[in-house]
Amino acid sequence: MYHEVNEPAEAWGSLAVSPAVFSEQLSYLVDAGYTTMTAGALAALIAEGGQAPPRTVVLTFDDGFEDFHRHAVPALVEHGCTATVFVTTGWVQDAGSESAAKRPGRMLAWSQVAEVVTAGMEAGAHSCQHPQLDQIPAALLREELYTSKARLEDRLGIPVLGLAYPYGYSNSRVREMARAVGYDHGYAVRNTTTSPGADLFRLPRLTVHHSTGLSEFQRLVEGQIALTMVRDRALTAAWSVVRRSKATLTGVNRGRDHA
């Protein structure tokens, strides 16, 4: 799971990976014999009871930063790789009246979303305004999930069946709503690898940080225990407890399990 592929001085957040480092990671994958598939393709395999071929990696990008079009896609195409970008539709640069109150940085325009799909990438939904889905009322939850999917489908002219939960968190109420509005899979974070038979609405991902060196990246890809993986799992578990408690106190949430 990536966010930005940008130089640190130009990046919005601390998770940004520089273009040079990203290219180095792609080179490692190709040289080591890995192939890539989209998030949707992996979900479809799992749904059919199948298993991804050995040495398969899924590369995902959350939020829809403009540098995905400028830096990531050219590098992916050069290395013969594909990826999935999960777009926050209210953050699209030219969303107009549908814009969220504040964007985190320079985001993809609708024409760029279409161009990355034409280049062989997949687009999935990441809500409209990037709320904490497990903390909002049912009516707003449905609007966030349904409208982001519908806007992407209208703009791209293709079905959009995949979702990544903002901040990586969901619970049973969020997942049930996602199914109800027409998604067939959802990606969390959880910082572990995916296995056959995984819950299609709780598919895990591993976080790639700006500080993830090549040796650490190799360990993540190989499914070995890495320091950042242990740290990220601990943080995920701690935040799950906090969010569950907060939702209970506010009376918003009936779904107890968070991920």
Side-chain angles (χ1 to χ4, degrees):
M1 180 190 67
Y2 294 87
H3 287 76
E4 297 173 86
V5 177
N6 209 348
E7 298 296 348
E10 300 176 14
W12 172 77
S14 60
L15 289 174
V17 174
S18 75
V21 168
F22 181 63
S23 183
E24 181 183 44
Q25 292 170 352
L26 293 181
S27 294
Y28 160 72
L29 292 176
V30 172
D31 293 345
Y34 284 91
T35 57
T36 56
M37 66 168 53
T38 63
L42 177 63
L45 268 179
I46 294 173
E48 295 166 359
Q51 186 172 349
R55 303 183 86 75
T56 299
V57 173
V58 175
L59 306 174
T60 68
F61 295 77
D62 282 6
D63 299 333
F65 285 93
E66 182 272 340
D67 54 59
F68 179 72
H69 179 275
R70 178 161 40 103
H71 293 311
V73 171
L76 289 162
V77 171
E78 178 184 350
H79 288 84
C81 298
T82 189
T84 299
V85 58
F86 291 105
V87 179
T88 304
T89 55
W91 285 352
V92 172
Q93 201 66 34
D94 53 352
S97 62
E98 300 171 345
S99 293
K102 185 178 181 181
R103 298 181 182 89
R106 181 72 183 179
M107 313 305 288
L108 291 167
W110 278 119
S111 62
Q112 293 173 317
V113 177
E115 287 170 8
V116 302
V117 171
T118 300
M121 310 303 146
E122 178 186 47
H126 199 46
S127 80
C128 291
Q129 302 196 39
H130 207 276
Q132 300 177 26
L133 295 176
D134 55 347
Q135 305 291 317
I136 60 178
L140 183 55
L141 172 62
R142 186 184 191 285
E143 180 180 346
E144 283 286 334
L145 294 178
Y146 173 79
T147 305
S148 57
K149 182 178 190 295
R151 286 175 183 168
L152 283 162
E153 291 178 337
D154 289 346
R155 290 283 184 166
L156 300 175
I158 55 176
V160 173
L161 302 176
L163 163 73
Y165 308 110
Y167 307 103
Y169 291 100
S170 71
N171 62 7
S172 57
R173 184 178 70 106
V174 173
R175 295 190 289 271
E176 288 165 7
M177 186 67 77
R179 288 188 185 92
V181 302
Y183 295 100
D184 67 14
H185 62 276
Y187 277 80
V189 180
R190 301 175 65 197
N191 286 292
T192 186
T193 54
T194 307
S195 58
D199 185 336
L200 287 171
F201 283 85
R202 298 183 71 190
L203 295 170
R205 295 179 292 169
L206 298 162
T207 305
V208 180
H209 295 267
H210 76 282
S211 59
T212 303
L214 188 58
S215 61
E216 182 91 346
F217 182 78
Q218 292 171 355
R219 293 180 68 83
L220 289 175
V221 171
E222 294 287 350
Q224 301 174 14
I225 297 298
L227 179 61
T228 55
M229 184 190 297
V230 173
R231 181 193 63 199
D232 290 342
R233 284 180 184 174
L235 288 172
T236 297
W239 274 110
S240 293
V241 173
V242 171
R243 296 168 74 82
R244 185 163 56 246
S245 300
K246 180 180 177 182
T248 300
L249 288 171
T250 58
V252 168
N253 212 324
R254 290 177 295 177
R256 294 183 57 82
D257 56 318
H258 284 62

